Each structure stands twice: as structure tokens, then as C-alpha cells.
Amino acid sequence: RSAAFWDSKREEEKMTFYFLDHSGFAVDTGRRWLIFDYFTDKPKGKGLSEGVINPLELGGKPVVVFSSHSHHDHFNPSIFSWRGKVSEIQYVLSDDISTSEEALFVSPGQRYERNGVTIETLNSTDEGVAFLVRTDGFTIYHAGDLNHWHWEGEPHWYNLQMAERYHTEMEKLRGKVIDLAFVPVDPRLGEAFWFGLAGLMETAEVGCAVPMHFWGDFSVMDRLKECGPLSPCLDRVVYLTKRGQQGTCGKWKASDD
């Protein structure tokens, strides 16, 4: 299905997003670019249609770059090479990332406002933070590694504790309107791959949910389509088929603010 969801009364207000790889996305709000968890910077010399950031493609708009934590699949120091190649750039990094580069370092459970962008952070169930970003009339959620990590083979007490930790964070989103959400559906979790997505959709008002963190295994999209417990919300899920895929998303409903 098409990755286009928006209120018919506000069709002119749309975001465009690109799947860069794994948990990496670029979002064009129309006024600025938001780039999340970029880590795959090859093939060199390519662009958004191949899942690579080429600063020349960003059209002179302000850029905000987010990295949710220091794991190699969520952070690549190459992001700092964009400085000086775009007219205005800000970096928002989880405070577990060690670098001497100028950035806004964020910790869990905080709220920040910078140059027309409001950022709220949630506590990851792994490392770092998740981001709830409001800017240009839109609300965007990027989970980072905040997920319901129910691992087969772990003790029952561990998985119960994980469920409690995840749902504690999701309660902070209860009733919030989120226009665009990027959420892990990690196939390594076996039959529990969908738990994190379900937890978000059950608590927040999400207009468009985009799966991520599936390690290039696009077969997880077909598994999502057949996931009965998710059936009430599957019409709001974007099914990715390739790196560099482009989609559009607009206002889901009136803001909760």
C-alpha cells in the first residue's frame, strides 16, 4: 500500500521521509530536515534514493541530526562531516555518545527547545534515549532502541521486567498525537518481534508507523501483515521494501498540545 496518510483538509501539510537503512531515516518537514540514527554511509557518492545522505540534496534547509545512542548501528561519526556543507546544522546526541564535537547532549526524561524544535526524551530499555520531536506543526517519534525486548531463552523474570520497563515508557505517550513514528520490529525476537509496535499503537494516537531495526530482513513486513493482534492498526503501518524508499505523511489529527 502507499505510504501516504494525511487529513484531507490539510493535504498541503505533508512530510516526506526516506528509509536510509536499519533505524536511519531522513524527514523533510517542508521547512527543515530531521535525520535520525544515520549509520550506513555507503555507497559513497550516492544520495537519498540509495539511503545515503548527500548534503547537496538537502536544499539549503536547516538540518537537525539525532543519534539515540552510541551503538554502531545508530551512530556514525561521519555525520559531523556535514558541518559546513549545509547552511545550518544542529546535532542532538544521547549523552552516552563520546565526542568533542559541538552538540546538544540529551539525557532521558527531559525536554529541550532549540530553534523551533521541541524535543522530549524517553528512557531506552537498552541504551540512550527515544525522541519525541515537535516542529513545523508535526510530531515525530523515533524509538532508538526503546523496545519491548522479549528474548526467547531469557528467564521469565527478565521478560516480565522488560515488559514493565517498556510499558512504563509507553504510558508517557498515552493519548499523545504522533503523526509519524519509527518503531523497532526486530526479527531476532522471534514471535515477539511485534510487541514493541503494539505497545506504542495501544497507547499513543499514531497516524503513520514505520518499522525499523529489522537488519535488512524485509520479510518481516509480510509477517506484520499477517499479525492478527495488530490488525486494528495495520492500515497505519508503512511496509518498507527497499533502502532509500520514500514515503509521505501528514497531520494525523488535531494536536494534543
Side-chain angles (χ1 to χ4, degrees), residues 90-107:
Q90 302 176 70
Y91 295 93
V92 180
L93 311 179
S94 172
D95 61 9
D96 69 307
I97 295 173
S98 178
T99 178
S100 60
E101 294 283 347
E102 181 181 350
L104 171 63
F105 292 94
V106 300
S107 56

Side-chain angles (χ1 to χ4, degrees), residues 6-14 137 250-251 253-254:
W6 59 85
D7 185 325
S8 61
K9 296 180 181 179
R10 305 184 68 173
E11 288 189 7
E12 73 281 1
E13 299 182 26
K14 295 186 292 183
K251 290 294 296 180
K253 55 176 68 175

Side-chain angles (χ1 to χ4, degrees), residues 67-179:
S67 293
S68 65
H69 61 291
S70 62
H71 289 175
H72 80 280
D73 57 321
H74 293 260
F75 170 69
N76 186 333
S78 69
I79 61 177
F80 300 120
S81 69
W82 306 335
R83 200 190 299 272
K85 297 178 182 177
V86 296
S87 59
E88 180 183 335
I89 191 165
Q90 302 176 70
Y91 295 93
V92 180
L93 311 179
S94 172
D95 61 9
D96 69 307
I97 295 173
S98 178
T99 178
S100 60
E101 294 283 347
E102 181 181 350
L104 171 63
F105 292 94
V106 300
S107 56
Q110 301 298 317
R111 179 185 177 100
Y112 307 86
E113 294 189 20
R114 293 290 189 280
N115 302 323
V117 181
T118 299
I119 305 157
E120 295 181 43
T121 56
L122 281 72
N123 194 11
S124 176
T125 46
D126 189 353
E127 296 290 338
V129 300
F131 296 108
L132 186 68
V133 181
R134 293 183 176 90
T135 190
D136 303 329
F138 298 108
T139 301
I140 303 104
Y141 171 74
H142 189 283
D145 266 357
L146 173 55
N147 192 26
H148 187 159
W149 298 106
H150 182 107
W151 293 101
E152 297 177 1
E154 288 289 352
H156 182 61
W157 65 262
Y158 174 91
N159 284 324
L160 283 177
Q161 185 181 74
M162 174 58 64
E164 181 178 350
R165 290 176 59 199
Y166 185 66
H167 291 302
T168 294
E169 295 305 306
M170 290 299 97
E171 281 299 318
K172 299 172 184 176
L173 299 177
R174 180 166 294 280
K176 291 186 181 292
V177 176
I178 298 174
D179 302 306

Side-chain angles (χ1 to χ4, degrees), residues 161-218:
Q161 185 181 74
M162 174 58 64
E164 181 178 350
R165 290 176 59 199
Y166 185 66
H167 291 302
T168 294
E169 295 305 306
M170 290 299 97
E171 281 299 318
K172 299 172 184 176
L173 299 177
R174 180 166 294 280
K176 291 186 181 292
V177 176
I178 298 174
D179 302 306
L180 177 60
F182 302 110
V183 193
V185 290
D186 196 317
R188 299 175 302 168
L189 295 173
E191 295 302 313
F193 78 102
W194 56 274
F195 284 11
L197 176 58
L200 175 68
M201 302 300 274
E202 290 167 359
T203 51
E205 296 283 343
V206 179
C208 180
V210 185
M212 68 176 194
H213 209 284
F214 51 88
W215 302 98
D217 181 1
F218 288 92

